């Protein structure tokens, strides 16, 4: 019987010369393909030794390291479900994810072990390990005693491989369930579509707890047997220094904006580069044009979601890469734009983007009703993005029907932040809106109304949020006002607030 385990497919693409370098890190370490093979086998054997139930979740909140990537691969290899968590999440956020996903294993940084293990044990998680970015921690200590041989566990294409938490219109996060088949189909399509070839070297500078860094970048390199230059953190100067050794780079728009501020970013530095990919947030046409002028390279913009991995891409070859568009639906993906009446719209008209394909997720974890709501009767997933197909067939995203702010490539759900602000003493109501920002693309600004007789201060509200939420979710400014603009139905008109505050960071 064919094994559809994603790890098995990635492993099959390793070069035959296993002693070649697979990953080179920014602190001078070098990992061979054999190291990846052995390291993931030992970690998979450790997971297998824990007697976990079928479909067990392995939740991970650790700093970026090659070992953390190996833990992801080992979870696939052992047939369990990987649940990556942003390192910026604080206790209230982690408590929700652990309570909701009920992982059997939690892996955290040793500096967080005290509070994370408390939350995990309380939620019934039996196994809590530590993993630090200097190759220490109880996870590796335990794995060191395990065999370095392991046969990838038999999986069907429809079996769960990962759960990625993402929010929606309601403040609470939903776990998007991605299968081995979702991710393998997408990785194979991108390998072909982006022309991956022998000798490619990827600069990996993204975090590894979201789709972009964990799946698009890592799967892309591994399924092509390509070396990665591994940066623990995005550092524009270091990226520029490494460019001559690389052929492929992937980033959110903020990374491109910051790289453009480097004098060392020149055509000469990019002489060996083949492909620059951008996504996760809209790439400004100014950035697209400036990049072309400075480097001679045309950024390839693509579009995806946690629920779908990659959906569309500008062409690698054979046609123009058009700035301001996200290209065409990838092979195997059906994409349509629908009007409010549920009918498909002709080219040029703006409506809701809906998609179908082997990459589209299985549903939201333990939320069958929510899952049903997000799909049409004929099986299309409603992305919540608003767009059109232009006269040449390129897809253009013009906005979102979901109330979402994308800041530096991270999603911020206003409903969640408003919920925290509204619970503060003296607050009657609040609204969080996204406004343009030169570095992060968009940032949140909070507008708050006090209860009669209460006195509030924006700075204190921000301070209070900082102690409870991931840093990228914190509004960059908070205004206390006497009223919020409303329509005749009494609904807050966020468009007017966006207009009012749009020049704040100009
Ligand atoms: C950091 N800060 C931010 C953000 N990041 N504020 C708003 N938005 C952000 N994204 C703030 C912190 O709160 C802090 O503020 C200050 O900046 C410094 O924090 P630090 O962590 O040092 O920031 P940094 O290292 O400069 O990080 C910026 C970054 C990072 C490198 C752009 O945000 C990043 O790696 N973004 C990539 C996200 C990503 O991978 N997205 C892919 C999602 P203070 O000093 O006031 O505390 S996958 C996806 O969306 C889909 C599926 C797709 O299509 O790919
Ligand atoms: P996430 O929930 O983190 O998976 O974020 C997915 C959302 O990011 C999509 O629904 C889009 O709104 C947005 N997104 C991803 N890529 C692009 C892009 N190239 N241009 C505009 N928005 C994008």
């Amino acid at each position: 019987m064919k094994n559809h385990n994603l790890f098995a497919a990635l492993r099959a693409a390793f070069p035959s010369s296993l002693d070649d370098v697979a990953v080179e890190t920014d602190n001078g370490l070098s990992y061979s393909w054999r190291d990846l093979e052995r390291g993931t086998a030992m970690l998979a054997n450790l997971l297998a030794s824990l007697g976990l139930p079928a479909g067990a979740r392995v939740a991970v909140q650790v700093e970026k390291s090659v070992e953390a990537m190996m833990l992801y691969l080992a979870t696939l290899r052992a047939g369990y479900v990987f649940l990556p968590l942003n390192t910026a999440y604080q206790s209230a956020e982690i408590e929700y994810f652990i309570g909701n996903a009920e992982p059997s294993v939690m892996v955290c940084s040793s500096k967080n072990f005290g509070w994370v293990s408390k939350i995990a044990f309380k939620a019934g998680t039996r196994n809590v390990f530590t993993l630090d970015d200097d190759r220490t921690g109880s996870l590796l200590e335990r794995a060191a005693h395990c065999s370095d041989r392991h046969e990838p566990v038999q999986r069907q294409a429809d079996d769960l491989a990962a759960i990625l938490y993402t929010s929606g219109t309601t403040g609470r996060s939903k776990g998007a369930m991605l299968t081995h088949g979702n991710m393998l189909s997408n990785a194979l399509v991108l390998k072909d579509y982006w022309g991956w070839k022998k000798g490619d070297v990827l600069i990996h500078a993204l975090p590894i707890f979201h789709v972009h860094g964990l799946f698009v970048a890592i799967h892309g390199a591994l399924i092509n047997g390509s070396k990665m230059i591994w940066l623990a953190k995005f550092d524009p100067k270091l990226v520029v220094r490494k460019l001559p050794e690389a052929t492929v780079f992937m980033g959110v728009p903020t990374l491109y904006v910051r790289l453009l501020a480097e004098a060392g970013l020149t055509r000469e530095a990019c002489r060996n580069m083949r492909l620059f990919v951008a996504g996760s947030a809209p790439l400004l046409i100014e950035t697209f044009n400036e990049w072309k002028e400075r480097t001679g390279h045309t950024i390839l913009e693509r579009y995806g979601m946690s629920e779908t991995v990659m959906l569309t891409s500008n062409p690698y070859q054979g046609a123009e890469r058009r700035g301001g568009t996200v290209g065409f639906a990838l092979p195997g993906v059906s994409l349509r734009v629908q009007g409010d009446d549920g009918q498909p719209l002709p080219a040029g008209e703006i409506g809701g983007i809906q998609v179908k394909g082997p990459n589209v997720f299985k549903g939201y974890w333990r939320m069958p009703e929510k899952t049903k709501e997000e799909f049409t009767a004929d099986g299309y997933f409603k992305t919540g993005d608003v767009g059109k197909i232009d006269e040449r067939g390129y897809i253009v995203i013009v906005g979102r029907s979901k109330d979402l702010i994308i800041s530096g490539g991270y999603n911020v759900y206003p409903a969640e932040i408003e919920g925290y602000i509204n619970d503060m003493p003296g607050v009657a109501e609040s609204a969080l809106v996204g406004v343009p920002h030169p570095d992060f693309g968009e940032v949140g600004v909070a507008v708050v109304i006090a209860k009669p007789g209460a006195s509030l201060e924006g700075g204190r509200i921000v301070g209070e949020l900082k102690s409870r939420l991931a840093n990228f979710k914190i509004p960059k400014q908070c205004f206390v006002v006497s009223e919020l603009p409303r329509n005749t139905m009494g609904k807050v008109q966020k468009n007017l607030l966006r207009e009012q505050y749009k020049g704040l960071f100009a």
Side-chain angles (χ1 to χ4, degrees), residues 319-320 322 328 389-394:
E320 183 197 358
R322 297 190 90 184
F328 307 107
I389 300 176
D390 76 9
E391 72 291 353
R392 289 168 56 186
Y394 288 75

Side-chain angles (χ1 to χ4, degrees), residues 72-403:
Y72 161 58
L73 298 172
T75 305
L76 295 175
R77 188 169 185 160
Y80 297 116
V81 180
F82 195 70
L83 197 173
L85 295 165
N86 194 319
T87 46
Y89 292 149
Q90 303 205 29
S91 57
E93 291 152 317
I94 294 295
E95 195 166 353
Y96 172 75
F97 295 123
I98 293 184
N100 190 258
E102 299 187 70
S104 299
V105 179
M106 174 81 213
V107 184
C108 64
S109 304
S110 57
K111 68 173 191 299
N112 296 335
F113 181 79
W115 65 268
V116 173
S117 62
K118 211 159 152 190
I119 293 171
F121 291 139
K122 205 170 122 203
T125 303
R126 294 243 181 94
N127 308 280
V128 182
F129 295 102
T130 58
L131 174 62
D132 290 322
D133 55 4
D134 59 356
R135 294 180 293 159
T136 62
S138 59
L139 185 83
L140 299 181
E141 281 162 24
R142 287 281 297 275
H145 301 287
C146 297
S147 160
D148 63 358
R149 299 180 80 93
H150 177 275
E151 194 56 38
V153 167
Q154 194 75 27
R155 292 284 92 178
Q156 298 299 318
D158 199 33
D159 284 332
L160 266 198
I163 298 180
L164 293 195
Y165 274 86
T166 166
S167 293
T169 41
T170 60
R172 277 304 185 190
S173 279
K174 310 180 292 270
M177 300 189 287
L178 290 165
T179 66
H180 287 262
N182 290 149
M183 298 204 279
L184 180 56
S185 65
N186 211 238
L188 290 171
V189 164
L190 292 178
K191 173 181 165 71
D192 193 43
Y193 206 80
W194 291 347
W196 281 90
K197 55 179 186 227
K198 206 171 157 39
D200 267 334
V201 176
L202 170 80
I203 296 185
H204 193 304
L206 285 162
I208 57 167
F209 35 69
H210 290 305
V211 161
H212 203 158
L214 184 64
F215 300 151
V216 189
I218 290 177
H219 297 167
L222 294 185
I223 204 141
N224 186 55
S226 289
K227 180 173 122 175
M228 283 187 266
I229 296 178
W230 188 263
L231 273 52
K233 234 176 124 35
F234 171 69
D235 169 353
K237 288 198 167 28
L238 186 52
V239 171
V240 167
R241 248 192 355 257
K242 290 289 174 188
L243 280 172
E245 299 168 38
T247 63
V248 183
F249 177 80
M250 296 184 190
V252 301
T254 299
L255 271 52
Y256 286 95
V257 169
R258 292 188 182 182
L259 283 166
L260 279 167
E262 293 299 320
L265 181 78
T266 58
R267 281 173 189 248
E268 175 61 13
C270 298
R271 64 190 177 274
N272 294 322
M273 287 297 293
R274 176 176 78 72
L275 179 61
F276 288 97
V277 179
S280 308
L283 180 75
L284 292 181
I285 192 75
E286 292 80 4
T287 312
F288 176 86
N289 288 336
E290 204 184 329
W291 193 269
K292 204 167 179 173
E293 215 165 276
R294 277 278 287 285
T295 68
H297 286 269
T298 308
I299 296 176
L300 178 153
E301 185 171 2
R302 89 316 178 267
Y303 156 55
M305 292 181 74
S306 298
E307 289 93 334
T308 63
V309 209
M310 294 301 100
L311 288 166
T312 76
S313 172
N314 266 280
Y316 174 64
Q317 56 193 2
E320 183 197 358
R321 291 181 206 160
R322 297 190 90 184
T325 86
V326 292
F328 307 107
L330 286 167
V333 175
S334 305
L335 183 147
R336 68 188 183 194
V337 176
Q338 278 222 337
D340 291 340
D341 59 358
Q343 295 303 312
L345 293 171
E349 289 193 28
I350 293 171
I353 298 177
Q354 301 182 349
V355 294
K356 197 177 191 171
N359 52 314
V360 175
F361 75 135
K362 207 172 165 164
Y364 294 111
W365 172 254
R366 291 180 180 164
M367 288 187 187
E369 286 308 313
K370 192 77 209 156
T371 303
K372 221 164 123 198
E373 273 171 35
E374 303 296 332
F375 281 86
T376 63
D378 59 348
Y380 278 76
F381 172 60
K382 303 176 203 164
T383 62
D385 292 307
V386 174
K388 63 176 183 182
I389 300 176
D390 76 9
E391 72 291 353
R392 289 168 56 186
Y394 288 75
I395 295 145
V396 181
I397 299 175
V398 300
R400 302 168 201 130
S401 61
K402 51 195 173 192
D403 192 10

